[in-house]
Amino acid sequence: MKVGMNLLLWTDKPDPSKHLHLLQDIKKWGFDGVELAVDNMDAADAKAFGLILKELGLGITGIAALDAAVADPASSDEALRGHALEILKHAIKNTQMIGAEVLCGPLFQGLGRFSGQGPQPEEWGYAVETLRAAGEYAAELGIKLALEPINRFEMYLANTLEDGARFVEAVGLSNVGLLADTHHGNIEELNVPEAWRRAAKHIVHVHISENNRGVPGSGHAVPKEIFDVLHDIGYDGWLTIEAFGQQVPGLISRLHLWRDYAEHPDDAARLGVQYIRSHLA
């Protein structure tokens, strides 16, 4: 297993001209790679990041999310579904250009939209159709899609790994699987390790995220049993820390981040990688 760090702790607009020192620090702290938001990245930056990360010896994965106001795979509005597919294809292309093999994120539906009820059959069908088209394009470029079920306060189409597995099976493509996230599982699953065990054949990416989004190991969402399950199922992909704080204004209201969760902004990375390595040893 490889340990990665999501740059969303520091920025939602990764810039190769501004973040070289940060990438060097991440390498120094003991990470194998990084995860970058690629949905709004332009081609020049994607190429530049690819070169920088190769030179640093860091692996990479991509992440994307969709704003329901402008793009939604599950919407009855054909224009919103079409724009969602355009954004996903752009993110997939950037994922290839930065030298990554996995694009992850809560791609089932646009975030920020709630209907007052659970997912309806037509919404499910629209989302499956949109993600199948994205997955087929990704397969042409050698990219895996790791779809992330997230909690009920952020999405309603897929909240549990069981929901996600049913969706992935409906899409029916070998390069479309699941992202298992400890934070969201802590909210939605009755038994997180067992939920991961049941969904094992579909898990292609993992986010290590504490219950308060802070330093992994400081709370109760990332217990030893998580790592035991990953060993048992033979998982050999990325364990990427996804943590948040007050450094990225655009994420504060979206993720309800009303306070800092560590003494130092870098603690989730510096201390988190040590915690993960201690369980992998």
Side-chain angles (χ1 to χ4, degrees):
M1 287 180 268
K2 298 164 288 188
V3 185
M5 184 66 210
N6 192 315
L7 262 66
L8 286 171
L9 178 62
W10 300 278
T11 180
D12 57 352
K13 297 178 177 63
D15 185 332
S17 66
K18 295 179 180 178
H19 296 126
L20 174 59
H21 183 67
L22 174 60
L23 296 173
Q24 292 170 333
D25 283 343
I26 288 171
K27 175 73 173 180
K28 180 181 64 179
W29 293 332
F31 286 93
D32 299 306
V34 296
E35 189 159 275
L36 300 180
V38 294
D39 41 342
N40 291 316
M41 188 179 291
D42 63 34
D45 282 352
K47 290 179 181 177
F49 268 120
L51 293 172
I52 291 169
L53 292 165
K54 184 176 181 179
E55 184 174 335
L56 289 173
L58 286 170
I60 186 164
T61 56
I63 188 169
L66 299 165
D67 177 354
V70 295
D72 190 344
S75 174
S76 61
D77 186 329
E78 185 177 358
L80 290 177
R81 298 199 306 274
H83 195 203
L85 183 56
E86 289 176 12
I87 292 172
L88 290 173
K89 286 185 173 181
H90 178 75
I92 290 163
K93 182 62 177 175
N94 279 342
T95 300
Q96 182 200 45
M97 292 176 70
I98 60 178
E101 297 179 353
V102 174
L103 172 67
C104 69
L107 308 178
F108 302 91
Q109 71 174 90
L111 301 182
R113 177 175 71 86
F114 292 92
S115 65
Q117 57 186 347
Q120 300 302 296
E122 62 271 19
E123 293 178 300
W124 186 267
Y126 287 140
V128 167
E129 179 184 348
T130 305
L131 268 299
R132 184 180 295 130
E136 289 170 348
Y137 178 73
E140 294 174 7
L141 300 185
I143 303 299
K144 292 180 182 179
L145 299 184
L147 308 184
E148 179 183 19
I150 63 175
N151 70 76
R152 78 197 86 147
F153 306 108
E154 298 182 56
M155 174 189 286
Y156 65 90
L157 199 79
N159 300 131
T160 67
L161 287 182
E162 183 179 7
D163 294 336
R166 187 162 57 91
F167 188 93
V168 164
E169 288 167 3
V171 171
L173 297 175
S174 62
N175 67 315
V176 178
L178 290 177
L179 186 169
D181 184 295
T182 57
H183 171 79
H184 299 295
N186 165 71
I187 297 172
E188 297 295 341
E189 307 288 2
L190 297 178
N191 184 313
V192 176
E194 286 308 308
W196 287 33
R197 203 178 296 277
R198 289 193 299 270
K201 68 179 180 179
H202 295 300
I203 296 175
V204 298
H205 195 54
V206 168
H207 274 175
I208 300 297
S209 187
E210 197 46 89
N211 57 282
N212 65 358
R213 301 289 209 172
V215 181
S218 64
H220 59 257
V222 194
K224 173 182 179 294
E225 289 76 14
I226 288 294
F227 302 95
D228 292 341
V229 168
L230 293 172
H231 280 296
D232 290 346
I233 68 176
Y235 178 76
D236 63 354
W238 287 95
L239 303 180
T240 297
I241 294 175
E242 186 182 52
F244 303 97
Q246 299 285 297
Q247 301 92 270
V248 187
L251 295 178
I252 290 175
S253 60
R254 185 176 126 196
L255 297 178
H256 312 293
L257 304 168
W258 311 129
R259 57 191 171 91
D260 281 316
Y261 301 102
E263 289 186 18
H264 189 280
D266 298 337
D267 279 356
R270 294 187 301 105
L271 303 180
V273 69
Q274 295 174 26
Y275 178 75
I276 294 172
R277 295 286 188 203
S278 72
H279 285 291
L280 297 182

